Amino acid sequence: MGHLFHHTCFTCSVCGKSLAGQTFYSLSGGIYCENDFLFSGVHPAPEVCDSCGRLVMDMVLQARGKSYHPSCFRCVICSRSLEGQPFTVDSDGRVYCVSDYHRVRAPCCAACRTPILPTEGSTESIRVVSLNRNYHVECYRGEVNLI
């Protein structure tokens, strides 16, 4: 901070606690212990991680209007970190990597009973829907509706 302090003079501007050897913050000429800096109104309210509930003290990841530690923003299926990765959210607000979302939420083919997934390198799946049933393009054989 460019100043010298007596050991007894290096104290928190709010509570007077000695800061020698402690974590401290300097803002607008004041020196603050961590507790007063974070919780006494000196500093704007810290972000709270929506996943783990702990304070985000370093880098904050903002997604879906919420704050996360980058290491806490993960796919609910594979637990892979989604920091800087494309992701999707289901109707219940659960976060998925794109591949797991397709694998878990994909419609099943009525003919072969396997999920209809995007082709390699694509993020969209192509399917045929007939009589409210889903088919892979290659599985669809056509249906005749007999009346």
Side-chain angles (χ1 to χ4, degrees):
M1 295 177 359
H3 296 67
L4 297 175
F5 292 86
H6 291 106
H7 181 77
T8 55
C9 296
F10 189 54
T11 59
C12 174
S13 298
V14 174
C15 68
K17 174 181 160 187
S18 174
L19 297 175
Q22 303 296 315
T23 299
F24 69 92
Y25 299 86
S26 175
L27 180 70
S28 303
I31 305 167
Y32 306 94
C33 67
E34 186 170 29
N35 193 51
D36 286 333
F37 181 74
L38 294 175
F39 303 111
S40 71
V42 172
H43 182 269
E47 302 286 346
V48 175
C49 178
D50 191 65
S51 180
C52 72
R54 295 185 317 225
L55 293 177
V56 181
M57 303 296 290
D58 296 323
M59 190 167 78
V60 62
L61 187 148
Q62 296 278 327
R64 304 174 44 241
K66 299 178 181 179
S67 300
Y68 299 88
H69 294 104
S71 61
C72 289
F73 191 62
R74 299 183 170 277
C75 172
V76 296
I77 301 297
C78 68
S79 296
R80 189 176 79 212
S81 173
L82 297 175
E83 180 183 8
Q85 301 298 314
F87 66 92
T88 191
V89 181
D90 69 10
S91 59
D92 294 325
R94 292 180 296 237
V95 180
Y96 297 83
C97 63
V98 174
S99 61
D100 280 343
Y101 181 82
H102 284 297
R103 191 171 49 79
V104 172
R105 306 291 294 194
C108 282
C109 176
C112 72
R113 306 277 186 228
T114 62
I116 302 170
L117 300 172
T119 57
E120 188 72 31
S122 175
T123 58
E124 296 181 9
S125 55
I126 299 172
R127 64 186 168 140
V128 174
V129 179
S130 177
L131 299 174
N132 291 324
R133 289 195 235 160
N134 299 292
Y135 297 88
H136 292 104
V137 173
E138 58 273 13
C139 292
Y140 182 70
R141 300 287 180 243
E143 295 184 18
V144 176
N145 192 4
L146 300 174
I147 299 178

